[in-house]
Amino acid sequence: MTDLQRSGAASRRGLLKAAAGTLAAGAASAAEGNPANLPPNTPDWAKSLGPGVIEEAYGTRSWHETAVRRYVPWLTQDRQSSISFTPLAEMHGIITPSGLHFERHHGGVPDVVPADWRLMIHGLVERPLQFTLEDLKRLPSVSRIHFLECPANGGMEWRGAQMSGVQFTHGMLSCSEWTGVPLKALLAQCGLKPNASWLLAEGGDASLMTRSIPLAKALDDVIVAYGQNGEAVRPQQGYPVRLVVPGWEGNVWIKWLRRIELGDRPWYHREETRHYTDLMPDGRARKFTFVNEVNSVITAPCPEKPLRGKPGFVEITGLAWSGVGRIARVDVSVDGGDSWRTAQLQEPVLGKALTRFRIPWEWREGQRAFLQSRAMDETGRVQPTMTALRKARGVESIYHKNAIHTWLVEPDGTVVNVQIDA
Ligand SMILES: Nc1nc2c(c(=O)[nH]1)N[C@H]1C(S)=C(S)[C@@H](COP(=O)(O)O)O[C@H]1N2
Ligand SMILES: [Mo]
């Protein structure tokens, strides 16, 4: 049996276990290599026919690839109301494979039966309507690439660095191509009453999560999405339909969407309609902070991608994003912000999407370096330093931490998560 056959035959769970189990051995043998497989020899895998088409009717990645979503056991009491993180250090380009999209659920993942699913739109409308999935798919669609970030991303680090790598410092962040119907079109079918100014979106999971969203945003760029990266939205992401609210905090991207109610004010009064608030140093709270502001992080080198023992040319690369528009510029420092060089932005550079940046660097043997990236968006917003952000927001917040992040490269090439006073 070849490796591909073995992985094809294994259950999903079995495959993950197998992959994890071979990680250590695989890493060691990858470094050494098997001389019999190296040039000029014919490698083992070229000596016999491999499996044919549809051996795996729904494909999976190579079983040698081991990056997985992970969670932090001490962060939540259980896994139903919890969060898992995207392994950002392993990502190429800007699209997150759907199987590695971070997950945030308040009541677990419901198994919604598509034939039994309806979207109800009611409240301050002329004609309350219900849509089936087929109804939605008959309407003109759009496909747009947007990042989705939980506003709690980085929230464990207001008081200091504490997470072990970029997966946990920034991994409540993913980016997909979303396909669906502009919410504006559905609202037009229902006919808005003149005093409609807010909407309530409700999810069909056990948490029946609801969020208030200003109507102006709904009429701007909100999508009622059934597609994710070319296929149906994954169950973990809200199958069959979720709200896509470009650039805005993840908690308003209601999953398993089932109801939209139009009103003339936000739904403060409902217990389950609590919104995320930001506690300020003077004791006041910011009630609605919808936009995820300009942010960036270096994804290599990083704690998961150390330079160990290999001085010389290194490409520093990472991701930048802004909830208000396109990324205009990313500067990179290797000396903790004393000096900066402007990185190259890789196409495509899209509004409210992840943007990849790259810049070459010569790492001298034994050099200690403080790597930072500082993004600026097309509106001129610039990422603040951690010191400046703390000054403005204090340390009682959880949400909307978009400070410049620092990785310390030790003389031996190990990379450590640190915060510096600058
Ligand atoms: N119905 C419902 N929608 C939801 C949630 C939920 O628990 N239930 N979690 C929200 C939060 S807090 C975030 S950050 C995003 C996460 O989306 P993802 O799981 O696709 O990454 O979904 C939002 N939509
Ligand atoms: Mo979230």
Side-chain angles (χ1 to χ4, degrees):
M1 229 195 196
T2 68
D3 295 332
L4 190 59
Q5 281 172 312
R6 206 180 302 139
S7 69
S11 72
R12 235 182 153 65
R13 182 166 304 218
L15 177 61
L16 280 185
K17 266 197 203 134
T22 53
L23 181 57
S29 61
E32 291 153 27
N34 176 1
N37 280 334
L38 299 178
N41 299 323
T42 302
D44 288 342
W45 54 85
K47 288 176 181 163
S48 61
L49 296 177
V53 297
I54 66 163
E55 184 65 35
E56 276 188 287
Y58 188 95
T60 49
R61 65 183 172 176
S62 163
W63 74 281
H64 301 283
E65 294 297 315
T66 54
V68 285
R69 292 185 281 226
R70 294 169 67 194
Y71 93 121
V72 178
W74 54 258
L75 207 55
T76 52
Q77 288 188 345
D78 54 51
R79 285 202 281 156
Q80 266 81 39
S81 182
S82 190
I83 190 150
S84 71
F85 299 74
T86 289
L88 294 176
E90 308 298 331
M91 302 291 90
H92 307 296
I94 61 170
I95 299 290
T96 310
S98 303
L100 293 176
H101 195 291
F102 86 94
E103 307 154 280
R104 172 72 175 109
H105 322 309
H106 290 77
V109 180
D111 180 12
V112 180
V113 178
D116 300 346
W117 177 88
R118 296 290 184 276
L119 171 61
M120 178 168 96
I121 302 184
H122 67 128
L124 295 179
V125 292
E126 304 295 344
R127 292 168 296 279
L129 289 176
Q130 285 192 28
F131 297 87
T132 66
L133 198 51
E134 261 176 40
D135 292 338
L136 291 188
K137 289 180 177 172
R138 286 179 71 148
L139 294 169
S141 67
V142 293
S143 292
R144 301 247 167 77
I145 295 174
H146 290 301
F147 74 82
L148 163 48
E149 183 187 26
C150 174
N153 206 13
M156 297 84 93
E157 304 216 309
W158 280 96
R159 289 163 190 274
Q162 81 163 317
M163 308 311 286
S164 59
V166 71
Q167 179 162 20
F168 301 114
T169 61
H170 290 81
M172 299 182 190
L173 171 72
S174 302
C175 185
S176 306
E177 184 195 62
W178 303 101
T179 297
V181 183
L183 177 53
K184 187 165 65 172
L186 302 182
L187 296 179
Q189 284 197 26
C190 298
L192 289 168
K193 293 232 166 111
N195 55 339
S197 58
W198 282 78
L199 62 82
L200 182 79
E202 181 180 76
D205 52 334
S207 76
L208 284 183
M209 190 167 145
T210 54
R211 283 292 182 271
S212 299
I213 300 173
L215 181 61
K217 178 66 173 174
L219 297 178
D220 178 13
D221 57 1
V222 173
I223 303 168
V224 175
Y226 47 77
Q228 178 186 3
N229 296 331
E231 63 180 355
V233 167
R234 291 280 171 103
Q236 293 78 7
Q237 268 60 64
Y239 181 87
V241 170
R242 86 170 307 158
L243 219 49
V244 167
V245 191
W248 284 23
E249 52 183 21
N251 62 98
V252 299
W253 292 48
I254 294 296
K255 304 194 278 190
W256 314 293
L257 181 69
R258 68 167 201 172
R259 187 170 74 85
I260 290 175
E261 183 178 346
L262 279 296
D264 59 2
R265 72 196 77 169
W267 279 253
Y268 286 118
H269 56 285
R270 290 181 51 165
E271 181 67 11
E272 70 275 25
T273 309
R274 288 214 198 95
H275 38 271
Y276 290 180
T277 57
D278 300 318
L279 196 56
M280 307 293 278
D282 64 4
R284 287 181 308 154
R286 299 202 302 192
K287 265 192 179 157
F288 288 109
T289 316
F290 288 123
V291 170
N292 282 334
E293 296 230 8
V294 63
N295 207 343
S296 72
V297 69
I298 292 170
T299 58
C302 70
E304 295 98 321
K305 296 280 171 198
L307 295 172
R308 221 162 277 144
K310 290 209 176 116
F313 171 83
V314 180
E315 182 179 70
I316 298 174
T317 182
L319 296 164
W321 62 101
S322 163
V324 296
R326 287 187 184 77
I327 289 297
R329 179 172 139 187
V330 179
D331 295 331
V332 170
S333 177
V334 297
D335 53 18
D338 291 340
S339 65
W340 297 90
R341 286 186 301 145
T342 299
Q344 184 199 340
L345 301 186
Q346 179 182 290
E347 296 290 335
V349 178
L350 303 168
K352 306 170 190 175
L354 293 186
T355 297
R356 183 162 289 276
F357 62 88
R358 315 173 167 286
I359 190 167
W361 177 43
E362 191 78 21
W363 182 57
R364 297 189 311 278
E365 175 125 47
Q367 182 188 356
R368 208 161 200 263
F370 291 90
L371 306 186
Q372 296 183 328
S373 62
R374 180 182 63 190
M376 187 191 291
D377 67 26
E378 62 182 344
T379 70
R381 287 173 169 82
V382 185
Q383 252 184 288
T385 62
M386 195 58 229
T387 308
L389 191 65
R390 272 206 200 97
K391 217 169 178 183
R393 302 265 308 279
V395 293
E396 302 299 333
S397 287
I398 297 173
Y399 304 113
H400 296 284
K401 180 176 149 298
N402 67 326
I404 293 171
H405 195 79
T406 310
W407 300 126
L408 164 62
V409 179
E410 298 277 25
D412 69 353
T414 316
V415 181
V416 188
N417 180 21
V418 297
Q419 287 188 5
I420 57 176
D421 198 23

